[in-house]
Amino acid sequence: MSTPQPAGGTYSQPSTSDQDGWRLFRGDGERREVPFPEAPPWRRFDLPKVPPTKGVSPAARPYLIGPDEADVVNAALHLRRPLLVTGAPGTGKSSLAHAVAHEMALGRVLQWPVNSRSALHDALYQYDAVGRLREANLSRNADGREPDIGQYIRLGPLGNALIPQERPRMLLIDELDKGDVDLPNDLLTVFEEGEFTIPELTRLPDGEVPVYVQTDDPSAPAPVTHGRVRCREFPVVIITSNGERDFPPAFLRRCVRLDLPEPDEQRLRDIVAAHLGPEALDGVDDLLRQFLDRRVSGELATDQLLNAVFLRKGGVDLDAGSLLQAVLHRLAGAV
């Protein structure tokens, strides 16, 4: 029985050499049903989906940190101060938040990725005034009752972190240096006071309190009284920066600083073994040397080395053509 030909081109069953080889795409225009190989551990998305509850965190990827850096993290925890983490790309700044949350059983990490349009208000809460007005008009036509305003107020990552609870939440403010120049100062008041107000709720009559607003857990709205949200335990706050600009002295004074160094050769070997297994270190000495040599002249990230080792482990000839250059490309300068 012949194989049906799909519209738009020819079709052929993959040969044994195609299945065993690493070239999924050959560039010859011929269609093949090629089986996909196993993805790197850090690019797996087939893990069981965890419901977005505060007390559950996904399994953390391996994370290695030196005792000196761990002591700085502990200092921030004891002082209840934000931890400002700096370092070259790929040194694990963002991953540190997930590692701390996993090890301390703090639940899912609340993440606020900062960009040039980020504003403090968005991180605290969002109010869907248009949606409430539309629902109010529909309700008046139906039963005359006004919809609950709390259904249209959703706390942002910083707002969720300040909900009063017994154990603090982990908040990751990622790449703060990409935000507006005034954003660090805007954060100071919230960090110092540990609270914020929702003006839309402060104007409500006293008989309408508390109002239950939406949180990161759809099944657990949070009660807000008189429009004020005040934490019981200051959240664990990790702020990352790529050093694109300086922060105000008043902001720096209220943070604990941690500069993550670029890993040396032994630390790189430990990282490769933690992610890909000790056997992955066999036959990759040349990759380590080239990575370290290129890192001296330009910026490279540790995950680029992991990508190269993963390909080498899968039987890919990284010396062929410009493949190694493509994998270990510089992160700075024009592309």
Side-chain angles (χ1 to χ4, degrees):
M1 182 176 179
S2 60
T3 303
Q5 301 295 321
T10 61
Y11 179 90
S12 65
Q13 294 289 346
S15 64
T16 303
S17 60
D18 288 334
Q19 293 183 29
D20 295 338
W22 79 282
R23 288 185 173 87
L24 309 180
F25 169 73
R26 303 182 68 87
D28 57 8
E30 185 175 355
R31 296 187 65 182
R32 302 174 180 84
E33 192 174 297
V34 181
F36 272 70
E38 184 177 353
W42 53 90
R43 295 297 297 168
R44 293 282 299 274
F45 303 98
D46 59 345
L47 298 176
K49 192 170 183 179
V50 178
T53 55
K54 291 184 283 189
V56 178
S57 62
R61 302 187 187 114
Y63 189 86
L64 301 179
I65 187 171
D68 292 341
E69 291 81 20
D71 285 344
V72 178
V73 175
N74 282 297
L77 295 173
H78 281 278
L79 294 172
R80 306 299 200 274
R81 288 291 187 182
L83 180 68
L84 177 60
V85 185
T86 58
T91 51
K93 299 186 295 294
S94 302
S95 300
L96 177 60
H98 295 273
V100 174
H102 175 74
E103 188 172 321
M104 297 184 63
L106 299 180
R108 293 188 308 110
V109 175
L110 298 166
Q111 301 187 62
W112 181 23
V114 175
N115 56 49
S116 59
R117 300 178 300 277
S118 298
L120 176 63
H121 180 276
D122 299 325
L124 294 174
Y125 75 97
Q126 298 89 40
Y127 173 48
D128 184 7
V130 175
R132 187 188 180 210
L133 178 61
R134 181 176 61 250
E135 292 297 324
N137 291 332
L138 294 175
S139 297
R140 290 192 192 101
N141 296 333
D143 53 18
R145 292 186 300 175
E146 291 281 345
D148 181 12
I149 188 175
Q151 299 177 19
Y152 305 94
I153 294 178
R154 179 172 296 279
L155 298 182
L158 179 53
N160 277 287
L162 294 174
I163 295 175
Q165 51 203 328
E166 293 299 327
R167 288 180 61 78
R169 296 293 302 273
M170 166 61 75
L171 171 66
L172 170 62
I173 303 178
D174 209 10
E175 299 186 332
L176 181 61
D177 52 329
K178 288 187 176 180
D180 185 81
V181 65
D182 293 325
L183 186 55
N185 284 329
D186 294 340
L187 284 167
L188 283 181
T189 300
V190 178
F191 284 163
E192 290 301 293
E193 302 297 330
E195 68 176 29
F196 70 98
T197 59
I198 302 177
E200 291 82 359
L201 300 183
T202 60
R203 296 189 289 264
L204 296 177
D206 289 345
E208 297 186 25
V209 295
V211 175
Y212 285 82
V213 300
Q214 306 305 302
T215 69
D216 66 316
D217 184 353
S219 63
V224 177
T225 304
H226 301 300
R228 187 179 77 156
V229 178
R230 180 179 177 84
C231 67
R232 184 176 304 149
E233 279 285 345
F234 188 74
V236 179
V237 180
I238 291 183
I239 304 170
T240 72
S241 169
N242 289 321
E244 295 185 5
R245 64 176 176 82
D246 296 330
F247 294 119
F251 175 80
L252 295 176
R253 181 169 62 86
R254 291 167 171 85
C255 295
V256 175
R257 298 283 302 273
L258 172 61
D259 185 51
L260 290 179
E262 291 185 320
D264 57 17
E265 181 175 350
Q266 184 55 51
R267 179 63 62 83
L268 288 172
R269 291 181 179 274
D270 293 339
I271 291 173
V272 170
H275 283 270
L276 297 173
E279 66 280 359
L281 293 172
D282 296 337
V284 297
D285 289 347
D286 60 322
L287 292 180
L288 279 167
R289 285 194 301 270
Q290 293 195 55
F291 178 85
L292 291 169
D293 290 343
R294 295 183 183 213
R295 194 175 69 178
V296 172
S297 58
E299 297 179 6
L300 289 178
T302 305
D303 58 350
Q304 291 176 282
L305 175 63
L306 290 173
N307 291 337
V309 174
F310 179 80
L311 291 175
R312 172 69 62 80
K313 184 181 177 182
V316 178
D317 181 12
L318 286 174
D319 297 325
S322 59
L323 184 56
L324 185 60
Q325 178 64 31
V327 175
L328 298 183
H329 60 86
R330 291 183 60 183
L331 303 181
V335 177

